[in-house]
Amino acid sequence: AKITNNPEAYDAYLRGLTVLRNVEQSSLGSAPQFLEQAVRLDPGFATAWALLSRMRAYEFFDGDHAQRTAARVALDAGLRLEPDLPEVQLAQGYFQYYVEQDYNAAAARFEQLLGKWPNNAEILEALGLIVRRQGHWDRARAYLDRAVELEPLSPGARAAASDVRSWTRDFDGSLRFIDEALNIAPDTADFIALKALVYQAQ
């Protein structure tokens, strides 16, 4: 099914996705602006609203508390348009995780969604981050390893898998994940810094 009938809105959505895949792990770059453009051009574009909600929720979690309302507005738009759309359900899980910080509810939603979408690396990464936060190290490692296996170029999943190993004192395993990332993108500052932190921990 077409996610939008507006080619300009679709172009803006794709530009947002492209930016997300090419910025440093700790940055969203101009991606939110492209998503804002997409939903302005097509207010019925539920998939774009869902991704915009996720970005605003992440910004809130990262310290920009002014984004809470923006994340809620975008999520409500997606829920109003297509509440059963997997991308909208994913955004709802991220809102519970990043904004409401209700980790049990977010984990339950992601688990339910994983049953419908078993090869989605983002769901596995989110589950890994949540159970890691709850201190379930083995489960976190399993979720994150599966996410990296499904999407080897995902910097977030790879960094999180490295962190789990470092925090459980498996420094060699942590460095292996970092070196694999640096083989793909040698100048990635986040992974260079992460490698320095692992050496420091050793």
Side-chain angles (χ1 to χ4, degrees), residues 106-168:
R109 183 171 301 280
F110 286 130
E111 286 280 9
Q112 183 182 33
L113 195 53
L114 188 63
K116 302 175 186 175
W117 208 353
N119 289 326
N120 185 295
E122 289 180 296
I123 298 171
L124 288 159
E125 181 182 346
L127 281 165
L129 293 173
I130 291 169
V131 299
R132 183 186 75 177
R133 186 173 289 277
Q134 295 172 321
H136 303 300
W137 303 108
D138 290 340
R139 288 176 61 203
R141 191 180 297 111
Y143 281 132
L144 292 166
D145 287 1
R146 179 70 177 136
V148 172
E149 181 184 331
L150 286 169
E151 198 168 325
L153 299 181
S154 169
R158 194 172 284 280
S162 171
D163 283 341
V164 166
R165 284 165 170 80
S166 179
W167 297 345
T168 55

Side-chain angles (χ1 to χ4, degrees), residues 51-63:
L51 187 56
L52 178 60
S53 174
R54 284 177 51 188
M55 284 190 256
R56 295 307 187 197
Y58 175 79
E59 289 173 319
F60 172 88
F61 190 69
D62 202 38

Side-chain angles (χ1 to χ4, degrees), residues 162-163 165-167 169-180 182-183 190-202:
S162 171
D163 283 341
R165 284 165 170 80
S166 179
W167 297 345
R169 306 190 64 77
D170 176 10
F171 299 120
D172 289 341
S174 180
L175 289 169
R176 186 178 71 251
F177 273 84
I178 295 168
D179 286 338
E180 287 171 359
L182 290 172
N183 283 336
D190 286 342
F191 282 106
I192 294 169
L194 194 56
K195 189 167 187 175
L197 288 171
V198 174
Y199 283 141
Q200 189 176 43
Q202 283 181 307

Side-chain angles (χ1 to χ4, degrees), residues 72-100:
R72 180 79 254 180
V73 167
L75 176 59
D76 286 345
L79 288 169
R80 186 177 64 253
L81 291 163
E82 294 190 58
D84 296 326
L85 189 72
E87 288 85 353
V88 172
Q89 291 291 307
L90 191 61
Q92 193 166 17
Y94 276 108
F95 190 86
Q96 290 171 310
Y97 173 24
Y98 287 148
V99 179
E100 297 175 338

